[in-house]
mmCIF file of all heavy atoms in Angstrom:
data_model
loop_
_atom_site.group_PDB
_atom_site.id
_atom_site.type_symbol
_atom_site.label_atom_id
_atom_site.label_comp_id
_atom_site.label_asym_id
_atom_site.label_seq_id
_atom_site.Cartn_x
_atom_site.Cartn_y
_atom_site.Cartn_z
ATOM 1 N N MET H 1419 -49.850 -5.007 -12.483
ATOM 2 C CA MET H 1419 -48.772 -4.639 -11.495
ATOM 3 C C MET H 1419 -48.995 -5.585 -10.184
ATOM 4 O O MET H 1419 -50.168 -5.605 -9.731
ATOM 5 C CB MET H 1419 -48.872 -3.209 -11.065
ATOM 6 C CG MET H 1419 -47.906 -2.726 -9.988
ATOM 7 S SD MET H 1419 -48.135 -1.075 -9.372
ATOM 8 C CE MET H 1419 -48.134 -0.088 -10.885
ATOM 9 N N ILE H 1422 -46.945 -6.415 -3.598
ATOM 10 C CA ILE H 1422 -46.245 -7.344 -2.754
ATOM 11 C C ILE H 1422 -46.040 -6.802 -1.344
ATOM 12 O O ILE H 1422 -45.669 -5.596 -1.155
ATOM 13 C CB ILE H 1422 -44.849 -7.574 -3.338
ATOM 14 C CG1 ILE H 1422 -44.986 -8.065 -4.838
ATOM 15 C CG2 ILE H 1422 -44.026 -8.616 -2.498
ATOM 16 C CD1 ILE H 1422 -45.795 -9.291 -5.020
ATOM 17 N N ASP H 1433 -41.830 -9.824 11.427
ATOM 18 C CA ASP H 1433 -41.613 -9.827 9.912
ATOM 19 C C ASP H 1433 -40.981 -11.219 9.503
ATOM 20 O O ASP H 1433 -40.347 -11.879 10.318
ATOM 21 C CB ASP H 1433 -40.736 -8.658 9.467
ATOM 22 C CG ASP H 1433 -39.449 -8.591 10.081
ATOM 23 O OD1 ASP H 1433 -38.913 -9.541 10.622
ATOM 24 O OD2 ASP H 1433 -38.787 -7.490 9.971
ATOM 25 N N ALA H 1442 -50.924 -10.917 5.303
ATOM 26 C CA ALA H 1442 -50.851 -10.242 4.092
ATOM 27 C C ALA H 1442 -51.616 -10.800 3.009
ATOM 28 O O ALA H 1442 -52.338 -10.187 2.204
ATOM 29 C CB ALA H 1442 -49.447 -10.036 3.671
ATOM 30 N N GLN H 1461 -29.063 -24.287 5.869
ATOM 31 C CA GLN H 1461 -30.371 -24.259 5.477
ATOM 32 C C GLN H 1461 -30.866 -22.861 5.226
ATOM 33 O O GLN H 1461 -30.487 -21.913 5.943
ATOM 34 C CB GLN H 1461 -31.357 -24.748 6.597
ATOM 35 C CG GLN H 1461 -32.855 -24.796 6.292
ATOM 36 C CD GLN H 1461 -33.671 -25.285 7.363
ATOM 37 O OE1 GLN H 1461 -34.786 -25.855 7.175
ATOM 38 N NE2 GLN H 1461 -33.175 -25.166 8.581
ATOM 39 N N ALA H 1471 -31.327 -11.235 18.053
ATOM 40 C CA ALA H 1471 -31.602 -10.279 19.086
ATOM 41 C C ALA H 1471 -30.591 -10.245 20.208
ATOM 42 O O ALA H 1471 -30.418 -9.214 20.842
ATOM 43 C CB ALA H 1471 -33.006 -10.579 19.648
ATOM 44 N N GLU H 1486 -35.798 -19.638 19.204
ATOM 45 C CA GLU H 1486 -35.816 -19.482 20.683
ATOM 46 C C GLU H 1486 -35.343 -18.197 21.126
ATOM 47 O O GLU H 1486 -35.887 -17.520 21.985
ATOM 48 C CB GLU H 1486 -34.992 -20.640 21.340
ATOM 49 C CG GLU H 1486 -35.579 -22.031 21.134
ATOM 50 C CD GLU H 1486 -34.685 -23.194 21.600
ATOM 51 O OE1 GLU H 1486 -33.510 -22.895 21.965
ATOM 52 O OE2 GLU H 1486 -35.095 -24.394 21.632
ATOM 53 N N GLN H 1488 -35.267 -15.344 19.311
ATOM 54 C CA GLN H 1488 -36.219 -14.374 18.802
ATOM 55 C C GLN H 1488 -37.545 -14.430 19.496
ATOM 56 O O GLN H 1488 -38.271 -13.340 19.551
ATOM 57 C CB GLN H 1488 -36.452 -14.497 17.218
ATOM 58 C CG GLN H 1488 -35.148 -14.234 16.479
ATOM 59 C CD GLN H 1488 -34.483 -12.857 16.655
ATOM 60 O OE1 GLN H 1488 -33.324 -12.688 17.118
ATOM 61 N NE2 GLN H 1488 -35.245 -11.882 16.482
ATOM 62 N N LEU H 1499 -42.402 -21.546 1.211
ATOM 63 C CA LEU H 1499 -42.883 -21.671 -0.107
ATOM 64 C C LEU H 1499 -44.059 -22.698 -0.187
ATOM 65 O O LEU H 1499 -45.008 -22.620 -0.944
ATOM 66 C CB LEU H 1499 -41.797 -22.094 -1.025
ATOM 67 C CG LEU H 1499 -40.685 -21.051 -1.284
ATOM 68 C CD1 LEU H 1499 -39.534 -21.565 -2.159
ATOM 69 C CD2 LEU H 1499 -41.221 -19.807 -1.917
ATOM 70 N N ALA H 1500 -43.883 -23.744 0.526
ATOM 71 C CA ALA H 1500 -44.948 -24.884 0.610
ATOM 72 C C ALA H 1500 -46.231 -24.411 1.247
ATOM 73 O O ALA H 1500 -47.334 -24.814 0.869
ATOM 74 C CB ALA H 1500 -44.381 -26.050 1.406
ATOM 75 N N PHE H 1502 -47.459 -21.311 1.019
ATOM 76 C CA PHE H 1502 -48.198 -20.386 0.169
ATOM 77 C C PHE H 1502 -47.775 -20.585 -1.292
ATOM 78 O O PHE H 1502 -47.172 -19.753 -1.908
ATOM 79 C CB PHE H 1502 -47.767 -18.888 0.563
ATOM 80 C CG PHE H 1502 -48.232 -18.572 2.002
ATOM 81 C CD1 PHE H 1502 -47.303 -18.716 2.991
ATOM 82 C CD2 PHE H 1502 -49.483 -18.155 2.301
ATOM 83 C CE1 PHE H 1502 -47.589 -18.456 4.265
ATOM 84 C CE2 PHE H 1502 -49.848 -17.877 3.570
ATOM 85 C CZ PHE H 1502 -48.887 -17.970 4.645
ATOM 86 N N LEU H 1509 -37.636 -13.022 -3.397
ATOM 87 C CA LEU H 1509 -36.655 -13.616 -2.440
ATOM 88 C C LEU H 1509 -35.427 -12.779 -2.477
ATOM 89 O O LEU H 1509 -34.729 -12.732 -3.631
ATOM 90 C CB LEU H 1509 -36.281 -14.974 -2.805
ATOM 91 C CG LEU H 1509 -37.590 -16.011 -2.960
ATOM 92 C CD1 LEU H 1509 -37.024 -17.365 -3.405
ATOM 93 C CD2 LEU H 1509 -38.345 -16.126 -1.693
ATOM 94 N N LEU H 1524 -35.316 -24.339 -4.605
ATOM 95 C CA LEU H 1524 -36.090 -24.092 -5.690
ATOM 96 C C LEU H 1524 -36.089 -25.328 -6.634
ATOM 97 O O LEU H 1524 -37.103 -25.524 -7.334
ATOM 98 C CB LEU H 1524 -35.664 -22.718 -6.394
ATOM 99 C CG LEU H 1524 -35.855 -21.443 -5.616
ATOM 100 C CD1 LEU H 1524 -35.369 -20.253 -6.538
ATOM 101 C CD2 LEU H 1524 -37.231 -21.311 -5.052
ATOM 102 N N HIS H 1532 -42.776 -19.217 -8.627
ATOM 103 C CA HIS H 1532 -43.500 -17.987 -9.131
ATOM 104 C C HIS H 1532 -43.001 -16.856 -8.295
ATOM 105 O O HIS H 1532 -43.398 -16.721 -7.153
ATOM 106 C CB HIS H 1532 -44.999 -18.306 -8.802
ATOM 107 C CG HIS H 1532 -45.962 -17.208 -9.160
ATOM 108 N ND1 HIS H 1532 -45.842 -16.539 -10.379
ATOM 109 C CD2 HIS H 1532 -46.931 -16.586 -8.471
ATOM 110 C CE1 HIS H 1532 -46.716 -15.571 -10.425
ATOM 111 N NE2 HIS H 1532 -47.455 -15.602 -9.283
ATOM 112 N N SER H 1537 -31.156 -9.079 -5.177
ATOM 113 C CA SER H 1537 -30.126 -8.855 -4.213
ATOM 114 C C SER H 1537 -29.388 -7.572 -4.490
ATOM 115 O O SER H 1537 -29.324 -7.063 -5.670
ATOM 116 C CB SER H 1537 -29.201 -10.052 -4.280
ATOM 117 O OG SER H 1537 -28.123 -9.884 -3.211
ATOM 118 N N LEU H 1546 -26.606 -16.018 -11.363
ATOM 119 C CA LEU H 1546 -27.868 -16.704 -11.462
ATOM 120 C C LEU H 1546 -28.552 -16.600 -12.753
ATOM 121 O O LEU H 1546 -29.096 -17.546 -13.251
ATOM 122 C CB LEU H 1546 -28.803 -16.264 -10.250
ATOM 123 C CG LEU H 1546 -30.049 -17.152 -9.997
ATOM 124 C CD1 LEU H 1546 -29.703 -18.422 -9.496
ATOM 125 C CD2 LEU H 1546 -30.920 -16.422 -8.977
ATOM 126 N N ASN H 1560 -28.699 3.346 -4.359
ATOM 127 C CA ASN H 1560 -27.851 4.532 -4.182
ATOM 128 C C ASN H 1560 -27.893 5.363 -5.509
ATOM 129 O O ASN H 1560 -27.806 4.814 -6.582
ATOM 130 C CB ASN H 1560 -26.326 4.097 -4.037
ATOM 131 C CG ASN H 1560 -26.222 3.297 -2.598
ATOM 132 O OD1 ASN H 1560 -26.766 3.775 -1.539
ATOM 133 N ND2 ASN H 1560 -25.512 2.185 -2.645
ATOM 134 N N VAL H 1563 -28.244 6.682 -10.380
ATOM 135 C CA VAL H 1563 -28.297 5.512 -11.253
ATOM 136 C C VAL H 1563 -28.478 5.917 -12.660
ATOM 137 O O VAL H 1563 -29.479 6.515 -13.093
ATOM 138 C CB VAL H 1563 -29.548 4.692 -10.703
ATOM 139 C CG1 VAL H 1563 -29.613 3.487 -11.640
ATOM 140 C CG2 VAL H 1563 -29.430 4.282 -9.237
ATOM 141 N N PHE H 1583 -35.949 -0.726 -7.648
ATOM 142 C CA PHE H 1583 -35.583 0.599 -7.174
ATOM 143 C C PHE H 1583 -36.049 1.038 -5.834
ATOM 144 O O PHE H 1583 -37.285 0.822 -5.542
ATOM 145 C CB PHE H 1583 -36.016 1.713 -8.180
ATOM 146 C CG PHE H 1583 -35.229 1.716 -9.506
ATOM 147 C CD1 PHE H 1583 -35.692 0.792 -10.579
ATOM 148 C CD2 PHE H 1583 -34.206 2.636 -9.685
ATOM 149 C CE1 PHE H 1583 -35.012 0.946 -11.779
ATOM 150 C CE2 PHE H 1583 -33.542 2.688 -10.861
ATOM 151 C CZ PHE H 1583 -33.910 1.929 -11.890
ATOM 152 N N SER H 1594 -39.884 4.616 -17.097
ATOM 153 C CA SER H 1594 -40.552 4.472 -18.509
ATOM 154 C C SER H 1594 -39.560 4.104 -19.538
ATOM 155 O O SER H 1594 -39.853 3.274 -20.367
ATOM 156 C CB SER H 1594 -41.170 5.879 -18.897
ATOM 157 O OG SER H 1594 -42.215 6.127 -17.952
ATOM 158 N N HIS H 1610 -45.705 7.881 1.394
ATOM 159 C CA HIS H 1610 -46.850 8.899 1.583
ATOM 160 C C HIS H 1610 -47.877 8.693 0.575
ATOM 161 O O HIS H 1610 -47.637 8.194 -0.541
ATOM 162 C CB HIS H 1610 -46.147 10.330 1.354
ATOM 163 C CG HIS H 1610 -47.087 11.348 1.775
ATOM 164 N ND1 HIS H 1610 -47.937 12.040 1.016
ATOM 165 C CD2 HIS H 1610 -47.294 12.068 3.060
ATOM 166 C CE1 HIS H 1610 -48.624 12.963 1.558
ATOM 167 N NE2 HIS H 1610 -48.263 13.004 2.865
ATOM 168 N N GLY H 1619 -49.129 5.226 -11.393
ATOM 169 C CA GLY H 1619 -49.173 5.532 -12.751
ATOM 170 C C GLY H 1619 -48.014 5.200 -13.620
ATOM 171 O O GLY H 1619 -47.920 5.355 -14.801
ATOM 172 N N GLN H 1632 -53.033 1.915 1.035
ATOM 173 C CA GLN H 1632 -52.742 2.825 -0.107
ATOM 174 C C GLN H 1632 -52.934 2.202 -1.409
ATOM 175 O O GLN H 1632 -52.774 2.963 -2.529
ATOM 176 C CB GLN H 1632 -51.273 3.411 -0.005
ATOM 177 C CG GLN H 1632 -51.038 4.042 1.380
ATOM 178 C CD GLN H 1632 -51.716 5.343 1.620
ATOM 179 O OE1 GLN H 1632 -52.321 5.906 0.665
ATOM 180 N NE2 GLN H 1632 -51.804 5.830 2.784
ATOM 181 N N LEU H 1636 -57.553 -3.406 -3.671
ATOM 182 C CA LEU H 1636 -57.239 -4.531 -2.860
ATOM 183 C C LEU H 1636 -58.424 -4.821 -1.950
ATOM 184 O O LEU H 1636 -59.029 -3.991 -1.312
ATOM 185 C CB LEU H 1636 -56.003 -4.102 -2.031
ATOM 186 C CG LEU H 1636 -55.218 -5.214 -1.355
ATOM 187 C CD1 LEU H 1636 -54.526 -6.058 -2.464
ATOM 188 C CD2 LEU H 1636 -54.205 -4.744 -0.376
#
Side-chain angles (χ1 to χ4, degrees):
M1419 183 188 303
I1422 306 300
D1433 61 16
Q1461 178 182 211
E1486 291 171 355
Q1488 295 302 121
L1499 293 178
F1502 301 94
L1509 309 180
L1524 297 183
H1532 180 48
S1537 184
L1546 189 65
N1560 297 317
V1563 177
F1583 284 87
S1594 296
H1610 192 269
Q1632 303 291 345
L1636 199 68

